[in-house]
Amino acid sequence: MTIAQQSGLNLMPLPVSAQPGIGSLGVDSSFSAAFTGHTEPRLERAGERFLKQLARQTGLPLFLKPVKTAKATLVIQTDHASKEIQDVGEDESYVLEVTATGAKLTAPTPLGAMHGLQTFLQLVDVSPAGFAAPAVTIQDKPRFPWRGLMIDSARHFIPLDVLRRNIDGMEAVKMNVFHWHLSENQGFRAESRKFPKLHELGSDSLYYSQDEIRDLLAYARDRGIRVVPEFDMPGHSTAWFVGHPELASGKGPYDIERKWGIFDPAMDPTNEKVYKFLDDLIAEMARIFPDHYFHIGGDEVNGKEWNANPKIQAFMKAHGIKNNEALQAYFSGRVQKLVTKHGKIVVGWDEVLVPGVPKDIVIQSWRGQASLAQAAKQGYGGILSNGYYLDLGWSAARHYAVDPMSGDAASLSTQEKQRILGGESCMWAEYVSPENIDSRIWPRNAAIAERLWSPQEVRDPASMYVRLDFVSVRLEWLGLTHRTALPHMLQRLAGSASPAEFAALHTLTEVMEPVKDYTREQTAPAVPTSSTPLNRVVDAVSLESDAGRRFGELVDQFVASACHDPAAEARLRAQLTSWRDNDAILQPLAQRSFLVKQVIANSQDLSALGTAGLAALDAIVKAQPAPDSWKEQQLALIDQVKKPKAQLLLIPAPAVQKLIEAAAAGGACSAPKP
Amino acid sequence: MTIAQQSGLNLMPLPVSAQPGIGSLGVDSSFSAAFTGHTEPRLERAGERFLKQLARQTGLPLFLKPVKTAKATLVIQTDHASKEIQDVGEDESYVLEVTATGAKLTAPTPLGAMHGLQTFLQLVDVSPAGFAAPAVTIQDKPRFPWRGLMIDSARHFIPLDVLRRNIDGMEAVKMNVFHWHLSENQGFRAESRKFPKLHELGSDSLYYSQDEIRDLLAYARDRGIRVVPEFDMPGHSTAWFVGHPELASGKGPYDIERKWGIFDPAMDPTNEKVYKFLDDLIAEMARIFPDHYFHIGGDEVNGKEWNANPKIQAFMKAHGIKNNEALQAYFSGRVQKLVTKHGKIVVGWDEVLVPGVPKDIVIQSWRGQASLAQAAKQGYGGILSNGYYLDLGWSAARHYAVDPMSGDAASLSTQEKQRILGGESCMWAEYVSPENIDSRIWPRNAAIAERLWSPQEVRDPASMYVRLDFVSVRLEWLGLTHRTALPHMLQRLAGSASPAEFAALHTLTEVMEPVKDYTREQTAPAVPTSSTPLNRVVDAVSLESDAGRRFGELVDQFVASACHDPAAEARLRAQLTSWRDNDAILQPLAQRSFLVKQVIANSQDLSALGTAGLAALDAIVKAQPAPDSWKEQQLALIDQVKKPKAQLLLIPAPAVQKLIEAAAAGGACSAPKP
């Protein structure tokens, strides 16, 4: 555990080191900030943003512009400019020294200065004497140079204001790459002036104009964030073929895909016109996106169109291309040359890594750390996304435990390790809308951001959760809606519910999570499409239930105390009682709302959990082993409750199971209740 | 009680009539809307806005543009255009017929069509079989032609996005006048190109550019809302004098006023240059604001600068002007001529109504219904604002009970009554910020909107509150923040509170309201200014506590049942217990947060209320009169609790007093508990 971890500071990501000082720096209406050393308009804007955010956090009427005097409360010294086009591995370090009389932030580049400003914002909190930042000296720099969030804005279109607030969130947790997944079977979302049929026919009019894209790039650059565009090919490209069927391997015509999954359409790697088209398109997009990297996708080609096309089969035979994998390698090689020609470095998913691919590409691994390590051994750069898929509904702790340098990567040589550039969380968008996307990304993404920024030994999930709760609130101050989305969406489900009914709906939904991994399709009541309303309980509930997690912690604490913790017992009893009684309150609402009715089996399960938990608690307190028959009956109930219903899981089930097992084991408590 | 009131429809304002039909109209993804008859771009935009809002309400992926076919689910027939400049008394009526197979909205003008769309949105709710609108035939038109909301954006600057979302709220409840209070001692907020020193020196750079103003006017017109600008003179005008001291009656120099109240500076009514200046300024502003009405303020001149200026005294003597009231009448008469010259009708506060003022002005009464009736008798138009001051913290029911036609107005002749054009709620901005203004206006403003739209006999507060709860949620879907402001602002106060501490803070704050009427200044810990942070509990809590009101209703229900309502007793007991135990949970947080510490006496009071209430409940259930000494002790406690602390009132105090009095009277309950 580092000093930073021991410091009790609510920082996320934790810095490399934090040395506590004496006292604290008060923040009142007279607070000011000044830049010294290298200055540029971007820093000035960062200063204004910082002051605005500080004013919002504190409610103080601050003067919202940086001042010119070095007597400012916070002086930010920047040594020199960063590169005109932000590059991988630029110096992002900073030193922040807060004393009782002032604060000094020092950074070689604006990137470090901006990171330090975010750290300062996290330090400021309400205190007994006013708003204040604790005295501390922080030295900090990132562990990995590539710390990204991918947003799929192709399966569901995500409006610019939603992207912007997520970029604000990235800045707050020091992520520095926005990977923009712009094309898919379900949509081609970037305006092409060279090939306007791409977005005109392939997007249902939901696309980003080139001006809007440029605005977003400037917005991201202002926050020290690179933007890597992805145009996925040769598969995942049905939407391209609506306007340009000549690129495809099948006969067409093509429609925008409305379902989810892996589909047959793929570009024709044997058609020279495809490469001419891609040359022109990449040229156009390379001009718009200044980043040195260009993502060509390359994942999940099922090869069916290739198999069915005699011309392609003849080409493969003529050129000695043995199978579809080799055909894709041929395609990737050709496309890579085009990308290189336009001055960019290729990024692609695992599948682009086949023998013979040139070394100057970066592999984004969705398959796992093994393939990442393998790539590094072969001399390829790599970024990890396996383990960071936000749409799979994992807990923050589970994402947090995934380390790019663990598994096969741990045994790499120093040189090989340097090829592992970092990682990217991925927000695939089958089930996200502008309304719920924030709650699918945040706050869990902050835990991934810490994994990629902080030293490897920062990995205590308990500390992480304490700080995650804190930063989650702070992220909402930026305009993100991950915490308010649930009550807001519940209002729609609840219609004219009474306050008690609404509270009951909240009690139920706050302990549920959507089914995990890829089971949502399997459990869907009907084949989901891009037109399926995302207005059900499964779309509203958090991907990680805070209330469920806290109940589990409380049960663990109680069981570990061998029931000598009467306060924990009282809290458990209150919680279980409220669950037991909840269904009766909710039933009338279920009769009035078809959306509430969909979760009435879950509601009955929660009631049953409450009853079972109370029975277990009574048995534990009696300190006599409950009969085997009771235990079997209760565990059968738990098994039943654990089965997903309405695509939802009831998170407290395993914790109640622990209580039942403790009861069956005879409890351990004979101390009198207070 | 009208049929509409009996219908159980969650409409606000209630329509003139509503005849229930059979069944309901399902709203699913195939929903469409079409305009027939008169069409114009404004209606097309209203249709898009309607569809977007319907999609937001339901979470359905609707096609977001009106269609061209008369087979649409909802057909909107508009007969003809409304006036190019929206006028007072235009036809705003509509008929909305919803059947199980479709809906038809018919209106003479776009104004009525837009009102009908809002009614349809309120009808759609979740149902057992999906989203649906009940079959009904609604005939509707407003009672008053002038239904306004005044926002003071001068004392505190209110950004345009905040004004826009409030205009959205006005549209939802069918208000049609936004009265924009643009100048004050504390700020001159409109860009003047003719006299740029007005906004440059008089606004701290917080003003609306002319382009921004024009955008807002278009935004309001799109929603059937007139905008009446107010430039307050000859008093309330210190900010003008910072750049133009030559207009004032004193010597100057002047600074922007930072305090609240009535101040000495006033324009010099004896200076011809003042009228030349106002002629030019009114000419400029009259060109920007197309509305036929122009508000010149005219309130609260204390006359001190006039008394102290020998030149003014000499002028009064020379012209036979007897006193300051007459001097102001002279000024108002001169200004009125200028306003008339530029094609507008003057609106002014009560004070402009002095003998001899021409009849074509409109009096806005802040003083009361008597002066409104008096004006009407004398032939002047009038609008009522007395009783509708949102900043005084009255309950919705109290505002709702104020009727422009009651009191002295009730005995006016039919002709005189027609001069009473309606009313305006007023949001004076001493204690509002962009963060809390919505919660100071809404939902109470919706009750005033109903008073001004619905038939006079619609006045049952119980029905109003049921519908207000419903519409309040709907208003948040428009982007208003009145419900989320409290938890959001509490996060700032709470810092890194535990969930239990945060819940305790919420429990306390949800039953408190700021002190009422004008006592906030009197109870302020320090002289409040425009720089005082609005981040305290008093700035965060609602002006009307829903939880407090509901507790009061529950106590009434319980006492009325003579304690034969065990469900009510159980709920009371649970509530009182949670209050009793709340302070202990909150105490540790108060030690960490200076803002929470400020309300710790309130927290102790709430605990005491809980204890007293539980004791009363126990006594009631025993059905034996509690001893007089106990009663006296408890009532002394209640008296103590009723005293404001930290400028806050604890709303449940009177209800707990009722329980104590019931207990002292011997209760009435001897039925066994269930």
Side-chain angles (χ1 to χ4, degrees):
Chain A
M1 191 180 268
T2 64
I3 291 166
Q5 212 162 341
Q6 294 165 332
S7 68
L9 296 174
N10 278 318
L11 297 175
M12 183 165 256
L14 275 180
V16 171
S17 84
Q19 298 287 349
I22 293 165
S24 63
L25 174 65
V27 173
D28 62 21
S29 303
S30 71
F31 184 91
S32 59
F35 289 95
T36 61
H38 167 76
T39 57
E40 58 180 53
R42 177 168 66 156
L43 277 175
E44 194 71 16
R45 290 192 294 271
E48 289 175 18
R49 210 162 58 239
F50 164 80
L51 289 163
K52 191 174 162 193
Q53 187 58 16
L54 189 62
R56 207 179 285 170
Q57 261 180 232
T58 58
L60 294 169
L62 303 181
F63 182 69
L64 295 178
K65 288 192 180 294
V67 295
K68 298 291 171 199
T69 164
K71 283 181 192 156
T73 324
L74 170 64
V75 175
I76 305 122
Q77 159 71 31
T78 310
D79 293 343
H80 55 78
S82 58
K83 293 188 185 170
E84 197 160 339
I85 296 170
Q86 191 175 327
D87 206 353
V88 178
E90 283 197 72
D91 193 331
E92 299 181 81
S93 70
Y94 69 93
V95 175
L96 174 62
E97 193 181 358
V98 181
T99 70
T101 55
K104 171 113 199 189
L105 170 60
T106 316
T109 74
L111 302 174
M114 292 194 287
H115 292 316
L117 288 174
Q118 295 303 317
T119 300
F120 189 88
L121 285 174
Q122 290 187 351
L123 286 175
V124 176
D125 199 2
V126 71
S127 85
F131 289 95
V136 66
T137 299
I138 288 172
Q139 301 202 314
D140 203 11
K141 63 178 183 177
R143 179 174 166 217
F144 292 107
W146 190 305
R147 308 176 303 281
L149 166 64
M150 188 217 74
I151 293 183
D152 167 12
S153 59
R155 284 181 175 81
H156 276 102
F157 181 73
I158 307 298
L160 287 158
D161 61 328
V162 179
L163 295 181
R164 277 193 293 267
R165 69 190 187 215
N166 276 283
I167 287 173
D168 289 340
M170 291 173 67
E171 182 190 26
V173 296
K174 302 184 172 61
M175 277 188 156
N176 67 352
V177 182
F178 171 49
H179 169 172
W180 200 355
H181 188 80
L182 280 162
S183 74
E184 258 304 335
N185 298 312
Q186 293 84 4
F188 189 99
R189 305 295 183 192
E191 180 195 12
S192 169
R193 292 186 186 162
K194 182 78 186 168
F195 302 111
K197 283 191 285 184
L198 281 174
H199 65 274
E200 285 173 1
L201 300 180
S203 78
D204 300 309
S205 301
L206 295 169
Y207 64 90
Y208 310 102
S209 75
Q210 296 196 355
D211 286 345
E212 289 172 335
I213 291 171
R214 286 201 182 86
D215 280 353
L216 195 82
L217 299 178
Y219 192 90
R221 180 177 162 76
D222 255 13
R223 286 151 182 81
I225 292 170
R226 299 165 42 219
V227 179
V228 177
E230 177 183 354
F231 294 92
D232 205 348
M233 55 184 108
H236 284 283
S237 49
T238 310
W240 307 46
F241 306 151
V242 184
H244 290 280
E246 73 277 11
L247 303 176
S249 305
K251 286 205 181 92
Y254 293 90
D255 289 322
I256 292 176
E257 182 57 58
R258 305 294 171 188
K259 298 201 192 76
W260 312 128
I262 299 173
F263 298 94
D264 302 345
M267 291 178 193
D268 182 351
T270 71
N271 181 350
E272 283 305 312
K273 284 181 187 157
V274 167
Y275 300 110
K276 177 71 187 76
F277 182 98
L278 291 176
D279 190 6
D280 290 347
L281 181 70
I282 292 168
E284 182 183 23
M285 295 302 160
R287 274 195 304 275
I288 299 170
F289 290 92
D291 199 75
H292 297 308
Y293 292 79
F294 194 96
H295 204 303
I296 60 166
D299 53 323
E300 298 182 326
V301 183
N302 72 12
K304 286 191 187 168
E305 276 201 351
W306 293 345
N307 297 341
N309 183 326
K311 201 174 75 60
I312 292 175
Q313 293 304 313
F315 180 94
M316 288 169 73
K317 208 166 185 180
H319 292 78
I321 297 171
K322 284 183 188 155
N323 55 27
N324 287 340
E325 195 187 23
L327 184 61
Q328 183 172 348
Y330 168 77
F331 175 84
S332 297
R334 293 285 304 266
V335 173
Q336 200 221 354
K337 286 200 185 76
L338 299 176
V339 171
T340 306
K341 173 180 155 190
H342 296 296
K344 308 287 184 183
I345 301 167
V346 160
V347 190
W349 300 99
D350 293 282
E351 291 93 326
V352 303
L353 179 59
V354 287
V357 171
K359 301 293 178 192
D360 60 341
I361 71 171
V362 172
I363 305 299
Q364 180 166 15
S365 177
W366 67 277
R367 287 182 175 165
Q369 279 141 315
S371 70
L372 189 69
Q374 194 191 344
K377 269 192 188 158
Q378 294 176 33
Y380 297 96
I383 47 182
L384 183 66
S385 281
N386 179 281
Y388 300 143
Y389 270 29
L390 295 165
D391 51 309
L392 300 188
W394 295 10
S395 70
R398 189 171 169 194
H399 287 307
Y400 193 61
V402 175
D403 194 297
M405 289 302 183
S406 66
D408 289 1
S411 55
L412 294 174
S413 72
T414 307
Q415 196 190 6
E416 288 163 352
K417 278 183 177 168
Q418 278 172 357
R419 295 190 188 118
I420 296 183
L421 301 173
E424 276 187 9
S425 53
C426 292
M427 181 71 262
W428 298 108
E430 282 89 344
Y431 302 107
V432 305
S433 66
E435 185 172 56
N436 75 358
I437 187 170
D438 293 1
S439 73
R440 273 63 196 130
I441 296 176
W442 306 98
R444 298 174 303 141
N445 191 49
I448 299 172
E450 173 157 293
R451 170 62 46 242
L452 298 173
W453 176 282
S454 303
Q456 186 167 13
E457 60 271 28
V458 174
R459 59 182 172 221
D460 173 26
S463 158
M464 181 273 288
Y465 273 121
V466 169
R467 292 175 292 107
L468 190 66
D469 284 349
F470 182 79
V471 80
S472 180
V473 170
R474 292 298 178 94
L475 287 166
E476 280 236 330
W477 286 97
L478 291 169
L480 286 164
T481 62
H482 52 288
R483 289 164 59 93
T484 46
L486 174 61
H488 201 56
M489 293 177 77
L490 290 185
Q491 285 169 351
R492 170 191 295 147
L493 296 155
S496 50
S498 71
E501 287 171 338
F502 190 82
L505 182 60
H506 195 266
T507 296
L508 171 63
T509 52
E510 72 171 359
V511 292
M512 296 201 294
E513 295 175 9
V515 290
K516 305 289 157 187
D517 298 311
Y518 293 105
T519 52
R520 181 140 174 198
E521 271 81 6
Q522 295 155 19
T523 55
V527 177
T529 74
S530 49
S531 305
T532 303
L534 297 176
N535 61 2
R536 296 160 61 222
V537 172
V538 68
D539 302 305
V541 297
S542 294
L543 295 201
E544 180 169 18
S545 156
D546 287 342
R549 171 167 58 82
R550 292 206 184 94
F551 180 78
E553 290 167 358
L554 192 59
V555 166
D556 287 345
Q557 178 188 332
F558 178 68
V559 171
S561 79
C563 176
H564 283 88
D565 187 341
E569 189 205 323
R571 285 170 63 199
L572 284 176
R573 205 172 276 280
Q575 180 70 83
L576 290 162
T577 305
S578 113
W579 288 344
R580 182 196 63 194
D581 301 341
N582 201 62
D583 183 58
I585 306 169
L586 197 60
Q587 282 287 350
L589 183 60
Q591 302 315 310
R592 305 200 304 278
S593 164
F594 75 109
L595 290 169
V596 174
K597 190 158 199 173
Q598 290 174 359
V599 294
I600 207 65
N602 312 67
S603 173
Q604 289 160 344
D605 279 357
L606 183 64
S607 235
L609 274 188
T611 304
L614 286 167
L617 218 47
D618 288 342
I620 291 171
V621 172
K622 277 190 202 139
Q624 295 162 351
D628 279 355
S629 60
W630 177 85
K631 179 184 174 187
E632 275 164 35
Q633 200 181 16
Q634 299 301 311
L635 292 183
L637 168 78
I638 296 289
D639 278 351
Q640 176 56 31
V641 167
K642 281 182 176 171
K643 287 185 188 146
K645 296 172 189 81
Q647 305 182 279
L648 289 157
L649 301 169
L650 215 44
I651 301 309
V656 173
Q657 182 173 347
K658 280 186 195 168
L659 288 178
I660 291 165
E661 282 161 357
C669 175
S670 53
K673 285 202 283 180
Chain B
M1 191 179 269
T2 64
I3 290 165
Q5 212 161 340
Q6 294 165 330
S7 68
L9 297 174
N10 278 318
L11 297 174
M12 184 166 254
L14 274 180
V16 171
S17 85
Q19 298 286 351
I22 293 165
S24 63
L25 174 65
V27 173
D28 61 22
S29 303
S30 71
F31 184 91
S32 59
F35 289 95
T36 62
H38 168 76
T39 57
E40 59 181 52
R42 175 167 68 155
L43 277 175
E44 193 72 14
R45 290 193 293 271
E48 288 175 18
R49 208 161 60 239
F50 164 80
L51 289 164
K52 192 175 162 192
Q53 188 58 15
L54 189 61
R56 206 179 284 169
Q57 261 181 233
T58 58
L60 294 169
L62 303 181
F63 181 69
L64 295 177
K65 290 194 178 292
V67 293
K68 298 293 169 195
T69 164
K71 285 181 193 159
T73 324
L74 170 63
V75 175
I76 306 122
Q77 159 71 30
T78 311
D79 293 344
H80 54 78
S82 58
K83 292 186 184 171
E84 197 160 339
I85 296 169
Q86 190 175 328
D87 206 354
V88 178
E90 282 198 72
D91 193 329
E92 299 182 82
S93 70
Y94 68 93
V95 175
L96 174 61
E97 192 181 357
V98 180
T99 70
T101 55
K104 171 113 201 189
L105 170 59
T106 316
T109 74
L111 302 174
M114 291 193 289
H115 292 317
L117 288 174
Q118 295 301 318
T119 300
F120 189 88
L121 284 174
Q122 290 187 350
L123 286 175
V124 176
D125 198 1
V126 71
S127 84
F131 289 95
V136 67
T137 298
I138 289 172
Q139 301 202 314
D140 203 11
K141 63 177 183 180
R143 179 176 166 217
F144 291 108
W146 189 306
R147 307 177 305 280
L149 165 65
M150 188 217 75
I151 293 182
D152 167 12
S153 57
R155 283 182 175 81
H156 277 102
F157 181 74
I158 306 298
L160 287 158
D161 61 328
V162 179
L163 295 180
R164 277 193 293 268
R165 69 190 188 215
N166 276 283
I167 287 173
D168 289 339
M170 292 173 68
E171 183 190 25
V173 296
K174 302 184 172 62
M175 278 188 154
N176 67 352
V177 182
F178 171 49
H179 169 173
W180 200 354
H181 188 80
L182 280 163
S183 75
E184 258 303 335
N185 298 312
Q186 293 83 5
F188 190 99
R189 305 296 183 191
E191 179 194 12
S192 169
R193 294 186 185 160
K194 181 78 187 168
F195 303 110
K197 283 192 284 185
L198 282 173
H199 64 276
E200 284 172 4
L201 299 180
S203 78
D204 300 308
S205 300
L206 295 169
Y207 65 89
Y208 309 102
S209 75
Q210 296 197 356
D211 286 344
E212 288 172 335
I213 292 171
R214 287 201 182 86
D215 280 353
L216 194 83
L217 299 178
Y219 192 89
R221 180 175 161 77
D222 255 12
R223 286 150 181 82
I225 293 170
R226 299 165 41 219
V227 179
V228 177
E230 178 183 354
F231 294 91
D232 205 347
M233 55 184 108
H236 284 283
S237 49
T238 308
W240 307 45
F241 306 151
V242 184
H244 291 279
E246 74 277 10
L247 303 175
S249 305
K251 286 206 181 91
Y254 293 89
D255 288 321
I256 293 176
E257 181 58 55
R258 306 292 172 188
K259 298 201 192 76
W260 312 128
I262 300 173
F263 299 93
D264 302 346
M267 292 178 192
D268 182 352
T270 71
N271 180 350
E272 283 304 312
K273 284 182 189 158
V274 167
Y275 300 109
K276 177 71 187 77
F277 182 98
L278 291 175
D279 190 6
D280 289 346
L281 182 69
I282 292 168
E284 182 183 23
M285 294 303 160
R287 273 194 305 275
I288 299 171
F289 291 92
D291 198 75
H292 297 308
Y293 292 79
F294 194 94
H295 204 302
I296 60 167
D299 54 323
E300 299 182 326
V301 183
N302 71 12
K304 287 191 186 167
E305 276 201 351
W306 294 345
N307 297 341
N309 184 327
K311 202 177 73 66
I312 292 175
Q313 294 303 313
F315 180 94
M316 289 169 73
K317 208 166 187 180
H319 292 77
I321 297 173
K322 285 180 187 158
N323 54 28
N324 287 340
E325 195 187 24
L327 184 62
Q328 183 172 347
Y330 169 77
F331 175 83
S332 296
R334 293 286 303 266
V335 173
Q336 199 220 355
K337 284 200 187 76
L338 299 176
V339 171
T340 306
K341 173 181 155 189
H342 296 296
K344 309 286 186 183
I345 301 166
V346 159
V347 190
W349 300 100
D350 294 282
E351 290 93 326
V352 302
L353 180 58
V354 286
V357 171
K359 301 292 179 195
D360 60 343
I361 71 170
V362 172
I363 305 299
Q364 180 166 16
S365 176
W366 69 275
R367 288 181 174 167
Q369 278 141 316
S371 69
L372 190 68
Q374 196 192 343
K377 268 189 189 158
Q378 294 175 31
Y380 296 95
I383 48 182
L384 183 66
S385 281
N386 179 281
Y388 301 143
Y389 270 27
L390 295 165
D391 51 308
L392 300 188
W394 295 11
S395 69
R398 189 170 169 195
H399 286 306
Y400 193 62
V402 176
D403 194 297
M405 290 301 183
S406 66
D408 289 2
S411 54
L412 293 175
S413 72
T414 306
Q415 196 189 5
E416 288 163 354
K417 277 184 177 168
Q418 278 171 358
R419 295 192 188 117
I420 296 183
L421 301 174
E424 276 187 11
S425 53
C426 292
M427 180 73 264
W428 298 107
E430 282 89 346
Y431 302 108
V432 305
S433 66
E435 186 172 56
N436 74 358
I437 188 171
D438 294 0
S439 73
R440 273 61 195 131
I441 297 175
W442 305 99
R444 298 173 305 140
N445 190 49
I448 299 173
E450 174 157 295
R451 170 61 46 245
L452 298 173
W453 175 283
S454 302
Q456 185 167 14
E457 60 269 29
V458 174
R459 59 182 173 222
D460 173 27
S463 159
M464 180 274 286
Y465 272 121
V466 169
R467 293 176 292 107
L468 189 67
D469 284 349
F470 182 79
V471 81
S472 181
V473 169
R474 293 297 178 94
L475 287 165
E476 281 237 329
W477 286 97
L478 291 169
L480 287 163
T481 62
H482 53 289
R483 289 164 59 94
T484 45
L486 174 60
H488 202 56
M489 292 176 77
L490 291 184
Q491 286 169 352
R492 170 191 295 147
L493 297 155
S496 50
S498 71
E501 288 170 338
F502 191 83
L505 183 59
H506 195 265
T507 296
L508 171 62
T509 51
E510 72 171 0
V511 292
M512 297 201 295
E513 294 175 11
V515 290
K516 306 288 158 187
D517 298 311
Y518 293 105
T519 51
R520 181 140 175 198
E521 270 81 5
Q522 297 155 19
T523 55
V527 177
T529 73
S530 49
S531 306
T532 302
L534 297 176
N535 60 4
R536 295 161 61 223
V537 172
V538 68
D539 302 304
V541 298
S542 294
L543 294 201
E544 180 169 16
S545 156
D546 287 341
R549 170 168 57 82
R550 292 207 184 94
F551 180 78
E553 290 167 358
L554 191 59
V555 166
D556 287 346
Q557 179 187 332
F558 178 69
V559 170
S561 79
C563 177
H564 283 89
D565 187 340
E569 189 205 323
R571 286 171 61 198
L572 285 176
R573 204 172 279 281
Q575 179 71 82
L576 291 162
T577 305
S578 113
W579 288 344
R580 182 195 64 193
D581 300 341
N582 200 63
D583 182 57
I585 306 169
L586 197 60
Q587 282 287 351
L589 183 61
Q591 301 315 312
R592 305 201 302 278
S593 164
F594 75 109
L595 291 169
V596 174
K597 190 160 199 172
Q598 289 175 359
V599 294
I600 207 64
N602 312 65
S603 172
Q604 289 159 345
D605 279 358
L606 183 64
S607 237
L609 274 189
T611 303
L614 285 168
L617 218 47
D618 288 341
I620 291 172
V621 171
K622 277 189 200 139
Q624 293 162 353
D628 280 353
S629 60
W630 177 85
K631 181 185 175 185
E632 276 164 36
Q633 199 182 16
Q634 299 302 311
L635 292 183
L637 168 79
I638 296 288
D639 278 350
Q640 176 56 31
V641 167
K642 280 182 178 173
K643 287 184 188 149
K645 295 171 190 83
Q647 305 183 280
L648 289 158
L649 301 169
L650 215 43
I651 301 310
V656 174
Q657 182 173 346
K658 279 186 195 168
L659 287 179
I660 291 165
E661 282 160 355
C669 176
S670 52
K673 286 203 281 179

